[in-house]
Amino acid sequence: MTRTSILIADDNEVARGLLRDTLASRADWVVCGEATNGLEAVRQALELKPDLIVMDMAMPEMDGLQASQEILKSLPGLPIILHTMHTGEQVTIVAKQMGIQSVVAKTAPVGELESVIEESLLRRAESLAASPGNSVSDATAASGAKVLEAAAGSSQSAQTASVSDPSDPPKSN
């Protein structure tokens, strides 16, 4: 089985441990690295080339927004989820402008973070499928395919839960 590699970047040891345990509970996900500051996150992302990053915003040496911006210069399209205590409309707007896919509050239920990770992997797989010639790891492709299969095989409620850009008009069936 091919597993999705996830890099965790958070300066708080307890938060990293909780994230590690949560992500490791999924058989199809593996934590490939842990960074304690933004500079470390950039270095590890470029070295490990994970399928997805869960990034804290407030970290020493370089914050999560700056680190994400640096990472995306070299690894465009890499799904990054900002996992932070600093949530709000302005943070979300800035994060999206920088290429970060989603913002999830650290106070949100664990299931919300897992759902956002799955949605981000699905978006990545759809984007790569639409752009032939792009390089994608087997784990990202397998994760995306798995999510697509589950959505296709589920009831109509799963179809309405598909990922879309909130600025897109609703589609009629």
Side-chain angles (χ1 to χ4, degrees):
M1 167 177 62
T2 306
R3 296 169 59 177
T4 299
S5 62
I6 300 174
L7 173 64
I8 298 170
D10 197 309
D11 61 320
N12 184 294
E13 186 175 347
V14 172
R16 276 194 325 276
L18 290 170
L19 273 172
R20 180 186 334 104
D21 292 347
T22 298
L23 299 174
S25 71
R26 295 277 304 257
D28 53 340
W29 295 348
V30 62
V31 174
C32 65
E34 296 181 27
T36 61
N37 64 60
L39 289 175
E40 233 179 76
V42 172
R43 183 186 57 74
Q44 286 192 32
L46 298 179
E47 179 183 316
L48 301 171
K49 295 184 178 37
D51 296 307
L52 182 134
I53 299 174
V54 178
M55 178 85 68
D56 185 21
M57 187 167 87
M59 293 187 290
E61 298 190 43
M62 179 184 284
D63 68 45
L65 293 172
Q66 293 171 312
S68 296
Q69 193 172 31
E70 287 300 311
I71 291 165
L72 291 169
K73 285 178 185 176
S74 297
L75 301 170
L78 175 68
I80 299 177
I81 297 169
L82 196 62
H83 190 236
T84 181
M85 293 297 295
H86 308 281
T87 59
E89 186 176 348
Q90 192 61 35
V91 170
T92 301
I93 290 168
V94 170
K96 296 273 185 184
Q97 289 172 342
M98 296 180 111
I100 295 170
Q101 283 201 347
S102 299
V103 177
V104 177
K106 285 186 176 181
T107 56
V110 172
E112 183 176 331
L113 177 61
E114 290 175 334
S115 293
V116 169
I117 290 172
E118 289 172 351
E119 290 169 3
S120 294
L121 293 169
L122 174 61
R123 273 189 242 152
R124 175 76 168 157
E126 288 173 341
S127 171
L128 290 168
S131 303
N134 281 343
S135 175
V136 60
S137 76
D138 291 341
T140 300
S143 294
K146 190 176 195 177
V147 172
L148 287 170
E149 287 172 18
S154 297
S155 66
Q156 184 159 354
S157 63
Q159 293 174 4
T160 60
S162 67
V163 178
S164 63
D165 185 332
S167 63
D168 287 345
K171 296 177 185 172
S172 60
N173 291 333

